Each structure stands twice: as structure tokens, then as C-alpha cells.
Amino acid sequence: MATTTQKMNAFYAQSGGVTAVINASACGVIETARRHKDRIGRVYAGRNGIIGALTEDLIDTGKESASAIAALRSTPSGAFGSCRFKLKSLEANRREYERLIEVFKAHGIGYFFYNGGGDSADTCFKVSQLSKAMGYPIQAIHVPKTVDNDLPITDCCPGFGSVAKYVAVSALEASFDVRSMARTSTKVFVLEVMGRHAGWIAAAGGLIEDQGIPVVILFPEIVFDEAKFIARVDALVREHGYCTVVVSEGAHHADGSFLAEQGTKDAFGHAQLGGAAPVVANMVKQALGHKFHWAVADYLQRAARHIASATDVKQAYELGVRAVELALKGHNAVMPTIDRLSDAPYRYRIGMAPLANVANVEKFMPRDFITKDGFGITDKCKRYLRPLIRGEDYPKYKDGLPLYTTLKNVAVAKKLAAFEL
Amino acid sequence: MATTTQKMNAFYAQSGGVTAVINASACGVIETARRHKDRIGRVYAGRNGIIGALTEDLIDTGKESASAIAALRSTPSGAFGSCRFKLKSLEANRREYERLIEVFKAHGIGYFFYNGGGDSADTCFKVSQLSKAMGYPIQAIHVPKTVDNDLPITDCCPGFGSVAKYVAVSALEASFDVRSMARTSTKVFVLEVMGRHAGWIAAAGGLIEDQGIPVVILFPEIVFDEAKFIARVDALVREHGYCTVVVSEGAHHADGSFLAEQGTKDAFGHAQLGGAAPVVANMVKQALGHKFHWAVADYLQRAARHIASATDVKQAYELGVRAVELALKGHNAVMPTIDRLSDAPYRYRIGMAPLANVANVEKFMPRDFITKDGFGITDKCKRYLRPLIRGEDYPKYKDGLPLYTTLKNVAVAKKLAAFEL
């Protein structure tokens, strides 16, 4: 591998749905780059992700104080803005990739740090390929991030541990509530969580079984069977007096239709409004007559920096740090990974994976992480999950609210003609 | 007032919807009673609230260790079970009130501590009246509790401060998330919160304006006006690029129908499934075309001991302590209250209100706490709310989950014939 000896600028961007800890990775990238001023010049960030690169809307992170950058470690969301914007294949839209290279060239950018999930790993890989083809050297390093925990090779993805902790803590607290009320009121509580394709987030709800809570989990990996589900809820309510259901937004019927799509229409004939949780709750009501409550956590779960997992925050930061170190060592088209060495005590090291093996591969829950009946998680899954939610990393508070940082995000002067998206 | 000189047992029960801090009040009651063993014998708790008294299903809290009782301070929900069971008027159901007195008599109970909201204040008051009429002396003390914050006289109600903190923190975090995504994706986030009649909980969402977040609040106190609402959202999105809506479950149209009741029917003709949040979010989508996300916090908000307000926990505990002290001083048919002395610095003292003035009175948001346009909170409201969410009082954690206590709840031997509810 060729080591860049010349001093180049760096570009960092956040991609896709943001998380409670993606800014901790940004913090790791920027702080580490600042420690290597002999090799890395300015660190530019894309305003609203890769769109910032395409439109040459760059942010000069050098205008932010050391304390502002440090505060990113405990600030949820994407401090520079993110975007949902998938670059097409090189063949279908070579123009966009070439524009990226042009912008990088115009601003002396030799390092490309892209912080995202599977799609952005793919983009990152293509940028690296094209830079070779165009003869302008870019070292493209992908920093993993996704609450869905569905990237391959890495043992877990930054963002997931904190959502998992949020889901487990919330399900535990709501279960205590239902248990208190079950004698005369609510007997079934349904919590809807994210995860359109993979059930990792829903799985975290299973951790509260260790505290004696009866839980039914509905995974996207298991085709929904209403009769079996109702029988399971019935059995648990008979035994415990109540039960909690954690349903993934991706839970679906045999024909692939989501539970959330029940053909519900409002008075004006508009399509259904709700999620999977009210559908599931009403199923229970119809079949068993139990009073229910339901919650849809939505963004609250992925933004919940106030209850972030300390393990997750630490790993998000470390992967940001390592991304820069890999670049400085001359690596290209790679992603730093979490390689688990043992469950208990939890030990891991930071490894590295070639992007060619990461792009466009989704990692689902292994079947042996889900109980035979399809409604719970196995001990093996619990051993996997427990260390990921371990530890609290509280933000500072003022007047009862977390002190989250909003950066100045000063724009870099443009050098190129405008670009139509 | 007559002071009970004879040593009597005490009865404590939790009523209605539970909160993150009702057990802190239980902790205050039980620890204080234990410090006065010369005057108070055993402390019995009602299993599932007042139903436990009616059915003589008493729990001997004396079987719990000091550390288990201390742990109640940081455990959400109702440790002895609660119930939704409103005793009718004395005239309509004298039988139930007489049964309560019989059970109290059979178990040497001279102190009745009832931990609940408006309905239970009423029950507590009636028990005290009947005990006089029946010639069996009971000192009935009401310990205030309601996330709705709608009890009169007291400046605030234990349980509210923690929900308010949860709502403000969650709305802040989700708003940071939306702000990150707004360029290409979600522009409007809707959070539905509790409060069927009073908008106190929704009001807490307004506190995040101090951090520059554009928020629209829909209160039950203000009749919903769709055109004005859409115009407000439109203006905020044009100015900030995004906005957050906090909608109370009690938000309603001019005819009194809730926003949640949109006549929505599922494919089988069953009544609507969803809450107000999806209705509001879809309204915005229809009118302005913005991509939205919505969350319904439901039980998560009132059970969220992990982010409880330290002020709230402290007050919940203190009111439990004071309830016992008032009983020992010979008071009857009263409720300890929070009397605010100043906003900043926040100072309060514990006062006392006669139950005759508390029962069946609901306290709504004063009009001058709501902005003229009806969509926000005023500075006066912010001065009121800020101290109530101040301070963090974290539970202990083990393996990433809070260490919440489940008591043994050992039953007391019955002495009476069974009673049909």
C-alpha cells in the first residue's frame, strides 16, 4: 500500500439515519486528525452528508474549538447534518462520482471518511475505485454506523448498543408499570421498535426476562403467525397476570406484508396511519379481551443519548480514531471493525475489513439467537447482547436538560461551479 | 384535633396510574413509620391498591428489609400493585366504605395513607367521614401523586416533574435528530404525550425552545384549529427547515371529539387503532407534503425512572414522610402539599390542605401559561416548569439495566369473611 507523504485535507460526512453516538465517531475522527497536523491539513465536513460534497457545501471543522469537538462525544444526532441520498451505480451515474472527485481535488482532500451503514459503505468503496480510475488518489475509509446492527464482519455497529439499551430499559420500566396495573387495568403492553429487516433491536427487549418479565418478541426474521402469537400471550398472561410484547416495525405476514399494513383507512379513505404496535395490541384485545397500552418509540430510541450505552459510546469514538489511523497507515477502501474476543469478561479489539466485503451485505439475526418458538431470544443471544448495553455514559445537564452541542458549522468558500443534484 | 395515643397499625395503598416516583412516596411513608415504632405498629400495604383493603389482601411491609424499602426510592411503578377502582358515593355504595372500616378494625389500623390523584383524595376524604360516623377512628391522609399535575392547592404533584423531564429530554433529542435529517428526509416530528384533560405534560415540550428548537404544542385546553396549526408548522419549517410537534392525547376539536378519534376503521370495520400523533402527522403530510415521523410515548413516559427529575424524587419522598408526620400530629382528612416560595432560586415548603378542598377539583393550565396563539408556553410557564425537571437522580445499574426492586409482598393472614367486589 502506498503511504501519502504529502499533507492532504480530510473530508468527513455522516450518512443515513443518525444515532445517539455517530457524533462520538466524528469526535474521534476530528480529534485524531488534529493530533496529526503534520500529515492531515484541514478537516472538512459535508453539510448534510454526501450532498455537502456534491454541492461543494463544506464545513470547516477547524473553526470549532477543542471543547466543542469534545462535546460531540455526548451529543446525539448528526452535528453536520446527514442525508438519505444513495448514489447510483458508477455506470448509472458516473457524473456524481466524478463530481465528488472534482470537489475533493479542488479542496486538496486526500482522505475521505464516510460514517454510515451498508449503502454508504458501497458509496465509499466506489469513490475509492473511481479515484484510482481518475488518477486522483483518495483514501476512502468507512466508519461504521447503524442502529440496525446489520453490517457484516464487525461484531456490532456503533449506534446499536445505545438503542438496545434504550429498548431494554424502556421495556423493563413499562413492564413494571403494567405489572402494577394488571389486576384491574392494562394486562398487555406493546412496544414498537425499529428494524425493518433485521430483529437486533427487538431482540434487546428479551434481556428483561432476566428480571422475571414475561416478554414476547416479534422479529422480522420470523413470519408472523397470529394464532401462535395469541396463544403465547394468553399463556403468559395466565401465568404472570400480564405480559409485554416488543414488536419490530419489520414484523410481517407470510406474504411479506408488514403487520403495520392492515388496510386501515380513515374516514376520508386515506391509508392507515398507525404502526405495528396498535395493530398487535388490537389483535390481543379482539382475541383475549385484555386491556392494552402501546407505545411507538420511533426517533426517541435512536436519539436517546441520555441513556446511551457506555460500551457503544466508547466503540463509536474508537472507530473514529482508528479510521484516521488506518488512513495514515496508507489503507484504502477499508472499514475498522469490532472483533469480539470474549463475551464475559467482554473483550474486543479493533480490526479492519475490506469494503469490497462489506458493501451491500446485510447481517440478520442468526436462527440460534431466536428461541425455537420464534418469540424470544436464546442464552447465546443474551451473551452477545449484554456487553453491548453495559455502562452508562451520561451527558452533562443544565437546568434539567442535557447540554447538547450545536456547532457553528462555518462554510468553506466554494471554488467550483454549482452542481445540479 | 385528637391525637391517637394508643399504638395503631398503618395502611398504605397506591391508586390509579402509577408513576416513576410513587414508590419514593411509599419509601417515605414506610421509613418514617419505622422510625416511630412507639406510635405506629405494623405498616400494611394494599395489594393492588384499595382492592387489597376491600378483599383483606394485605401485605406486611415489615417482612421487607430496610434496604428493600430504601430501594423503592429508585424503583418506578407501584411496588404493591395499584388499581383503577373508584369507590362510588357513600350513598350509592355504603357497603364498600363500611367494609374498609371493618378491615381496618380487624387489623388494628388507625392510619390510612392513600397515595393517588383526585379520585383517591375523594375516597380518602369519605373514609375519614365514615370512620367518624361509625365511631371507629381512622386518620386518613392523602399522599398526592399524578403525572397529570392536576391536583389543586399543591404547586405540583409528584410524578409530574419526572414525566415533564422525560418529555423535554425526549423532544430535545428527537428534534436534534430531525434537524440532522431535514435536508432530504423527515422535516416534522410529532410526539404524543399523556394528559387527557390538562396540558401540563405537553407544556414541558416547550422548554426545549430555550435551545433553539422550533416547537408547536397542542394542548387539551385549546380547541384544535387545523388551518392555524398547519400555518404555524409551515412557518416554522420555512424558517428552521424542520419542526417538532408535541401533542397531548387530550387535544380535541371544537365538538369535543379527540384528534385521535378520526373515525378510522381497519379492514374489518373495527374502530381506529392509533393515537393523536399519527393523525396530526398525516395532516401535515396532506397539507404541506413534508416527510414526518411520530412517536407515542405512552407508559414509557410515566415509568421512566432512569431519567427521573431529582426534584420530583425528593418531593415524592418528602410528601410520604410528611404524611406520616401529619398523622402523628393528629391530623385527619388532609394532604401534604408543595407550597412554592420562589422560582429562582427554587424554594418550597411542605404545606397541608384539607381534603374537602382537594377532592374532585381539577387544575388546568392557566391561560397565561399558554402563548396567545395557543401553540406554545409563556415565560411564566417556563419559570414554573424549570425547577420541576431539575436534577438527575439515577438508579443503580447492573449489566446495563437499572436495578429496580421487586418486593416479597408477603400476605397478612385474613381474619374476615370474603367480600365480593
Side-chain angles (χ1 to χ4, degrees):
Chain A
M1 66 195 83
T3 304
T4 312
T5 45
Q6 177 185 8
K7 184 165 165 174
M8 299 292 286
N9 296 325
F11 174 80
Y12 167 85
Q14 303 177 319
S15 175
V18 294
T19 78
V21 303
I22 185 172
N23 285 333
S25 291
C27 177
V29 166
I30 297 168
E31 288 188 348
T32 309
R34 285 183 178 191
R35 280 196 295 272
H36 293 91
K37 292 208 166 144
D38 53 323
R39 304 276 305 282
I40 302 175
R42 297 178 181 281
V43 179
Y44 298 129
R47 195 185 304 275
N48 301 310
I50 201 70
I51 285 181
L54 289 168
T55 60
E56 204 193 353
D57 194 354
L58 308 181
I59 290 164
D60 186 354
T61 69
K63 303 291 187 191
E64 310 291 343
S65 68
S67 65
I69 296 301
L72 288 181
R73 189 173 167 133
S74 49
T75 295
S77 83
F80 308 106
S82 184
C83 67
R84 293 206 176 277
F85 185 87
K86 187 168 160 51
L87 275 78
K88 298 196 191 77
S89 69
L90 265 175
E91 298 67 36
N93 204 340
R94 194 175 177 90
R95 175 180 159 269
E96 283 175 350
Y97 292 91
E98 287 178 352
R99 167 70 176 188
L100 285 180
I101 304 289
E102 277 164 27
V103 171
F104 291 165
K105 207 167 173 178
H107 292 274
I109 291 164
Y111 306 103
F112 173 46
F113 300 105
Y114 204 27
N115 203 168
D119 283 352
S120 56
D122 183 53
T123 301
C124 196
F125 183 52
K126 282 174 184 148
V127 166
S128 131
Q129 289 180 300
L130 192 64
S131 92
K132 275 182 205 155
M134 289 179 64
Y136 180 78
I138 292 278
Q139 284 174 252
I141 314 282
H142 190 249
V143 188
K145 168 247 58 167
T146 168
V147 295
D148 292 330
N149 202 39
D150 60 355
L151 289 174
I153 307 177
T154 186
D155 180 68
C156 60
C157 303
F160 169 66
S162 294
V163 174
K165 187 181 186 84
Y166 173 94
V167 167
V169 170
S170 298
L172 177 67
E173 291 177 333
S175 299
F176 266 60
D177 193 310
V178 177
R179 188 174 66 179
S180 307
M181 304 303 297
R183 172 69 176 75
T184 55
S185 180
T186 307
K187 286 186 174 54
V188 176
F189 177 75
V190 182
L191 173 62
E192 177 171 340
V193 301
M194 289 178 157
R196 184 106 343 198
H197 302 119
W200 295 104
I201 296 176
L207 288 172
I208 66 173
E209 278 182 350
D210 296 355
Q211 303 207 18
I213 308 292
V215 189
V216 180
I217 304 173
L218 299 176
F219 299 96
E221 286 90 349
I222 304 287
V223 168
F224 181 68
D225 179 327
E226 182 168 349
K228 274 177 68 183
F229 166 67
I230 293 296
R232 181 78 186 126
V233 169
D234 190 30
L236 288 175
V237 173
R238 282 173 197 275
E239 184 184 346
H240 299 269
Y242 73 102
C243 89
T244 292
V245 179
V246 179
V247 55
S248 167
E249 63 178 338
H252 57 81
H253 300 282
D255 65 0
S257 65
F258 291 117
L259 262 61
E261 304 170 67
Q262 288 290 298
T264 313
K265 292 207 179 349
D266 69 14
F268 311 100
H270 299 142
Q272 64 89 28
L273 309 171
V279 171
V280 166
N282 275 278
M283 251 177 216
V284 171
K285 173 79 179 170
Q286 299 290 331
L288 304 173
H290 298 320
K291 192 176 173 215
F292 61 80
H293 263 254
W294 56 267
V296 177
D298 195 67
Y299 278 3
L300 304 191
Q301 70 201 286
R302 75 182 200 192
R305 182 61 183 81
H306 75 273
I307 189 65
S309 147
T311 304
D312 191 32
V313 174
K314 182 167 175 280
Q315 292 181 344
Y317 181 81
E318 288 172 346
L319 291 170
V321 170
R322 185 59 59 92
V324 176
E325 291 171 350
L326 291 175
L328 290 175
K329 282 184 185 164
H331 290 285
N332 188 7
V334 294
M335 172 181 94
T337 57
I338 302 292
D339 300 348
R340 184 182 298 222
L341 302 174
S342 70
D343 294 331
Y346 179 53
R347 292 190 308 119
Y348 65 91
R349 66 177 167 218
I350 311 283
M352 183 178 77
L355 286 184
N357 299 346
V358 173
N360 301 314
V361 181
E362 267 181 296
K363 184 173 71 179
F364 301 103
M365 292 266 292
R367 188 59 185 84
D368 67 356
F369 272 32
I370 300 174
T371 52
K372 241 180 211 162
D373 71 2
F375 294 126
I377 58 171
T378 58
D379 285 345
K380 192 172 177 184
C381 182
K382 288 178 186 173
R383 287 195 296 275
Y384 170 76
L385 290 173
R386 277 193 203 104
L388 306 184
I389 69 163
R390 196 168 293 151
E392 295 67 55
D393 185 321
Y394 298 121
K396 288 189 188 127
Y397 280 72
K398 196 186 162 207
D399 288 343
L401 285 174
L403 271 177
Y404 294 144
T405 292
T406 297
L407 298 179
K408 291 182 287 183
N409 285 347
V410 178
V412 176
K414 297 192 180 195
K415 302 183 175 185
L416 302 173
F419 181 82
E420 286 285 308
L421 280 183
Chain B
M1 66 195 86
T3 305
T4 312
T5 46
Q6 180 186 5
K7 185 166 167 174
M8 300 292 287
N9 296 323
F11 175 81
Y12 167 84
Q14 301 177 319
S15 176
V18 294
T19 78
V21 303
I22 185 173
N23 285 332
S25 291
C27 177
V29 166
I30 297 168
E31 288 189 347
T32 309
R34 286 183 177 190
R35 280 197 294 273
H36 293 91
K37 291 208 167 144
D38 54 324
R39 303 276 307 282
I40 301 175
R42 295 176 181 282
V43 179
Y44 299 129
R47 195 186 304 275
N48 301 310
I50 201 70
I51 286 181
L54 289 168
T55 59
E56 205 194 351
D57 194 354
L58 307 181
I59 289 164
D60 186 355
T61 69
K63 304 290 188 192
E64 309 291 343
S65 67
S67 65
I69 296 301
L72 288 181
R73 189 174 167 131
S74 49
T75 296
S77 83
F80 309 106
S82 184
C83 66
R84 294 208 176 275
F85 185 86
K86 186 167 159 54
L87 276 77
K88 299 195 190 77
S89 70
L90 264 176
E91 298 69 34
N93 203 340
R94 194 174 177 91
R95 176 179 159 270
E96 282 175 351
Y97 291 92
E98 287 179 352
R99 168 70 176 187
L100 286 179
I101 304 290
E102 277 164 29
V103 170
F104 292 165
K105 207 167 174 177
H107 292 274
I109 291 163
Y111 306 103
F112 173 46
F113 300 105
Y114 204 26
N115 204 169
D119 284 352
S120 56
D122 183 53
T123 301
C124 197
F125 183 51
K126 283 175 184 148
V127 166
S128 131
Q129 288 178 301
L130 192 66
S131 92
K132 275 182 205 154
M134 288 178 66
Y136 180 78
I138 292 279
Q139 284 173 252
I141 314 284
H142 190 249
V143 188
K145 168 245 60 167
T146 168
V147 294
D148 292 330
N149 203 37
D150 60 356
L151 289 173
I153 307 177
T154 186
D155 180 67
C156 61
C157 303
F160 170 67
S162 294
V163 174
K165 188 181 185 83
Y166 173 94
V167 167
V169 170
S170 299
L172 177 67
E173 291 176 335
S175 299
F176 266 59
D177 192 312
V178 177
R179 187 175 67 180
S180 308
M181 304 304 297
R183 173 69 177 79
T184 54
S185 180
T186 306
K187 285 187 175 53
V188 177
F189 176 75
V190 183
L191 172 62
E192 176 172 341
V193 301
M194 287 179 160
R196 182 109 336 201
H197 303 119
W200 295 105
I201 296 176
L207 288 172
I208 67 173
E209 278 182 351
D210 296 353
Q211 303 207 17
I213 308 292
V215 189
V216 181
I217 305 175
L218 299 176
F219 298 97
E221 285 90 348
I222 305 287
V223 168
F224 181 69
D225 180 326
E226 183 167 349
K228 274 177 67 184
F229 166 68
I230 293 296
R232 181 78 186 125
V233 170
D234 190 30
L236 288 175
V237 174
R238 282 173 197 276
E239 185 184 345
H240 299 269
Y242 73 103
C243 89
T244 292
V245 179
V246 179
V247 56
S248 166
E249 62 177 339
H252 57 81
H253 299 283
D255 66 0
S257 65
F258 291 117
L259 262 61
E261 306 170 67
Q262 288 289 298
T264 314
K265 293 209 181 345
D266 68 14
F268 311 98
H270 299 141
Q272 65 89 29
L273 310 171
V279 170
V280 166
N282 275 278
M283 252 176 216
V284 171
K285 173 79 180 172
Q286 298 290 332
L288 304 172
H290 298 318
K291 190 175 175 216
F292 60 81
H293 263 254
W294 56 266
V296 176
D298 195 66
Y299 278 3
L300 305 191
Q301 70 201 286
R302 75 181 199 193
R305 182 62 184 82
H306 75 273
I307 189 63
S309 146
T311 304
D312 191 32
V313 174
K314 182 167 174 281
Q315 292 181 344
Y317 181 81
E318 288 172 344
L319 290 170
V321 170
R322 185 58 60 90
V324 175
E325 292 172 349
L326 291 175
L328 290 174
K329 283 184 184 163
H331 290 287
N332 188 8
V334 295
M335 172 181 94
T337 57
I338 301 292
D339 299 348
R340 184 182 297 222
L341 302 173
S342 70
D343 294 332
Y346 178 53
R347 292 190 308 119
Y348 65 91
R349 67 176 167 219
I350 311 284
M352 183 177 78
L355 287 185
N357 299 348
V358 173
N360 302 312
V361 181
E362 268 180 297
K363 184 174 71 180
F364 301 104
M365 292 267 291
R367 188 58 185 86
D368 68 355
F369 273 33
I370 300 174
T371 52
K372 240 179 213 164
D373 71 1
F375 295 125
I377 58 172
T378 58
D379 286 344
K380 193 172 177 184
C381 182
K382 289 178 186 174
R383 286 194 297 274
Y384 169 77
L385 290 173
R386 277 192 202 106
L388 306 184
I389 69 163
R390 196 167 293 151
E392 294 68 53
D393 185 320
Y394 298 121
K396 289 190 186 123
Y397 280 72
K398 196 187 162 207
D399 287 343
L401 285 174
L403 270 177
Y404 293 145
T405 292
T406 297
L407 299 179
K408 290 182 289 183
N409 285 348
V410 177
V412 176
K414 297 193 179 192
K415 300 182 175 186
L416 301 174
F419 180 83
E420 285 285 308
L421 281 182

